[in-house]
Amino acid sequence: MMNIWDQHFSTTEYVYGEQPNAFIKDYVDFIKGYVNVAAYAEGEGRNAVFLASKGHLVTAFDYAENGLEKTQQLAKKQGVTVVTQLADLLHDELPVEKFDAAIMVFGHFPMKQQHAVFERIVNSVKPGGRIMMELYSIYQLPYASGGPKQLDNLYDPLHVLTWCQPYKIIHFFTGEQIRNEGTLHTGLAHTIQFIIEKES
């Protein structure tokens, strides 16, 4: 049965564009040397393909088969290889301590389940590994630049900072950013960014 994200990605165009998220692109050197990378809630594959082009071995996880198919098409177009895996991050088992690093860009989950998803992603990374995310904050609602229209699917910066506290915080930012990513993320937005490292 087709879910909402399958419907979202059922176009020939890449609704979030083919270029990587600006945060991932600008901070990719922070995972240089972290070879095996998971890209969670990866959608149509723009970040996974970018990381593969930088020499990473990338596994892209998403809930939408359409998104994973478009990931493979984009990887082929760019001449790189990305492993794709259909996964519901709320319910399916994820690998444990398998990856050197993990990313997630604008993964939308109900507020009550966000911390559990965060924990599962962190657990999928080996000790000494790094996790990078950019998320829409609760202050995104008034902006007309994309993201969920329900407060419940946005992230509270204070909650996210609290989740990061047990780890080494390499980068943490919340505030306005310009995002021009396809037709659905366009203009001034309010985001949360972080890079954390697990203890070795």
Side-chain angles (χ1 to χ4, degrees):
M1 185 176 174
M2 186 177 282
N3 65 52
I4 188 171
W5 289 103
D6 275 312
Q7 295 171 16
H8 213 49
F9 300 140
S10 64
T11 58
T12 53
E13 69 165 329
Y14 282 71
V15 294
Y16 298 116
E18 298 182 21
Q19 299 304 310
N21 166 263
F23 171 59
I24 298 299
K25 184 178 180 181
D26 291 347
Y27 285 81
V28 67
D29 284 350
F30 282 84
I31 55 169
K32 190 173 183 178
Y34 294 73
V35 178
N36 194 9
V37 181
Y40 290 106
E42 178 51 15
E44 302 164 304
R46 61 199 175 102
N47 302 304
V49 168
F50 170 72
L51 291 175
S53 78
K54 292 290 186 180
H56 297 280
L57 303 176
V58 187
T59 303
F61 293 82
D62 203 83
Y63 183 44
E65 289 188 26
N66 284 351
L68 297 177
E69 287 170 9
K70 290 170 88 171
T71 297
Q72 291 294 357
Q73 290 167 13
L74 187 60
K76 186 176 181 180
K77 180 179 176 181
Q78 299 293 338
V80 299
T81 300
V82 173
V83 175
T84 51
Q85 187 167 330
L86 188 68
D88 178 348
L89 299 187
L90 295 177
H91 301 111
D92 294 342
E93 290 296 316
L94 298 181
V96 175
E97 295 190 357
K98 176 179 179 178
F99 300 104
D100 302 315
I103 69 161
M104 186 174 76
V105 174
F106 301 137
H108 309 312
F109 303 97
M111 204 169 280
K112 285 184 178 178
Q113 295 170 300
Q114 290 169 1
H115 186 221
V117 171
F118 169 87
E119 286 288 321
R120 297 174 81 202
I121 290 173
V122 171
N123 289 341
S124 76
V125 173
K126 298 172 187 174
R130 290 183 173 179
I131 298 95
M132 300 176 65
M133 293 191 191
E134 182 167 64
L135 310 164
Y136 279 121
S137 86
I138 54 175
Y139 304 108
Q140 172 65 13
L141 274 184
Y143 294 77
S145 53
K149 302 303 181 202
Q150 305 80 28
L151 187 66
D152 189 54
N153 286 329
L154 297 169
Y155 292 78
D156 186 321
L158 289 175
H159 292 171
V160 177
L161 182 59
T162 300
W163 304 340
C164 292
Q165 290 292 349
Y167 309 101
K168 179 182 177 181
I169 299 175
I170 296 167
H171 169 86
F172 191 95
F173 168 87
T174 184
E176 292 186 335
Q177 294 282 291
I178 297 287
R179 290 289 171 261
N180 292 311
E181 304 176 336
T183 56
L184 297 184
H185 288 170
T186 305
L188 193 64
H190 202 286
T191 76
I192 306 162
Q193 305 169 351
F194 67 81
I195 305 170
I196 58 174
E197 182 177 301
K198 293 178 71 171
E199 286 187 13
S200 299

